[in-house]
Amino acid sequence: MLAKRIIPCLDVKDGQTVKGVNFVGLRAAGDPVALGEAYSRQGADELVFLDITASFEERKTFADMVSRVAATVNIPFTVGGGISELADVERMLMAGADKVSINSAALRRPELIGEIARHFGSQVCVVAIDARQTTEGWRCYLKGGRERTEHDLFAWAHEAQERGAGEILFTSMDHDGVKQGYANEALARLGDTLSIPVIASGGAGTKEHFRDAFSLGHADAALAASVFHFGQIAIPELKQYLSDEGIEVRL
């Protein structure tokens, strides 16, 4: 069995790590470079850096900030935000990223997934999906959760896989920052129907929530932000807890 991964996420705006609730009400959480270095040292399995307003502001991700974070970490590093063409991917990889996360650009032009997979390999392409449960089912959102689409979460995740995505990063907008647990039912459905890894995002508040994302949600990795940024859960303690609960993790 592959070890489950713990992934801190740096949501970056104006050069600072920020965190909100349901994608709004952002507050400062620290310097991305210092946080990245600390998480790498504490035993995080990977690190995700999201320039959260790049797509909305229609600009490119800050490559200099990516380079500074990459220089301090020795774990796989994924970068997202404002990546809309192969040149952007190349720029991020040159800056030190191991993978890129695409969201809005993939929904607008799904062919981008295949282009990245063919040029750089599927392992480089993480398709991030921000979704919310509606009366019609789970719907995907663009531009950092600002714009609803009619794409169904499960159909879109399957299409992304077929086009060459290496992983799916699923964030439940309803659960984001609320700290009441992950969207385990939707996660399990994704995990049971896809053959590529699924990263759970949105909802971590306790160690038990991580356990449930793996045991009930069948996730391959769990991503979290505020519980790590504000010192509520320490990564070494979380991993020991998960190991004690019978979940395979790298200690």
Side-chain angles (χ1 to χ4, degrees):
M1 182 190 293
L2 286 174
K4 303 295 187 181
R5 291 171 285 151
I6 301 298
I7 307 177
C9 181
L10 306 176
D11 291 327
V12 178
K13 182 177 187 286
D14 301 328
Q16 280 292 305
T17 307
V18 294
K19 190 64 194 120
V21 176
N22 303 134
F23 283 43
V24 295
L26 302 176
R27 62 173 171 149
D31 172 53
V33 180
L35 284 171
E37 182 178 16
Y39 294 142
S40 180
R41 204 171 53 242
Q42 289 167 18
D45 296 294
E46 297 190 16
L47 183 69
V48 169
F49 173 108
L50 299 177
D51 188 337
I52 60 170
T53 56
S55 291
F56 175 66
E57 294 170 1
E58 297 183 348
R59 60 169 172 77
K60 305 300 185 184
T61 305
F62 295 125
D64 56 337
M65 176 68 78
V66 171
S67 296
R68 287 169 55 212
V69 174
T72 68
V73 304
N74 58 6
I75 52 178
F77 178 35
T78 301
V79 175
I83 293 169
S84 58
E85 57 188 5
L86 288 179
D88 299 332
V89 180
E90 189 159 14
R91 201 159 44 86
M92 291 302 105
L93 296 178
M94 292 292 288
D98 299 288
K99 311 176 194 178
V100 296
S101 168
I102 56 172
N103 187 336
S104 300
L107 280 163
R108 288 198 194 96
R109 195 171 71 82
E111 296 79 13
L112 179 62
I113 300 169
E115 291 168 8
I116 295 172
R118 285 192 299 275
H119 280 80
F120 303 105
S122 286
Q123 79 284 352
V124 166
C125 186
V126 179
V127 172
I129 304 176
D130 298 332
R132 175 168 270 154
Q133 202 158 21
T134 72
T135 51
E136 295 92 36
W138 285 88
R139 290 293 176 265
C140 304
Y141 281 69
L142 291 166
K143 295 183 178 178
R146 292 173 178 83
E147 190 178 303
R148 176 179 155 160
T149 74
E150 289 312 306
H151 282 275
D152 171 76
L153 163 65
F154 305 103
W156 171 234
H158 189 265
E159 180 180 342
Q161 172 181 276
E162 294 307 297
R163 287 182 178 273
E167 290 182 281
I168 298 294
L169 167 53
F170 162 53
T171 301
S172 166
M173 295 172 61
D174 300 312
H175 292 71
D176 176 71
V178 181
K179 300 183 182 177
Q180 296 298 309
Y182 293 91
N184 291 320
E185 199 173 308
L187 274 170
R189 187 171 162 191
L190 286 170
D192 292 345
T193 56
L194 298 175
S195 59
I196 57 176
V198 176
I199 304 168
S201 170
T206 67
K207 295 173 189 172
E208 289 78 12
H209 292 155
F210 287 88
R211 177 199 64 198
D212 292 347
F214 296 131
S215 60
L216 304 177
H218 306 170
D220 298 278
L223 177 146
S226 58
V227 290
F228 297 142
H229 301 340
F230 301 118
Q232 290 157 282
I233 297 177
I235 291 171
E237 291 172 19
L238 171 61
K239 287 188 148 191
Q240 188 59 58
Y241 165 80
L242 292 171
S243 179
D244 292 345
E245 290 288 309
I247 292 165
E248 182 76 25
V249 289
R250 296 183 191 89
L251 293 174

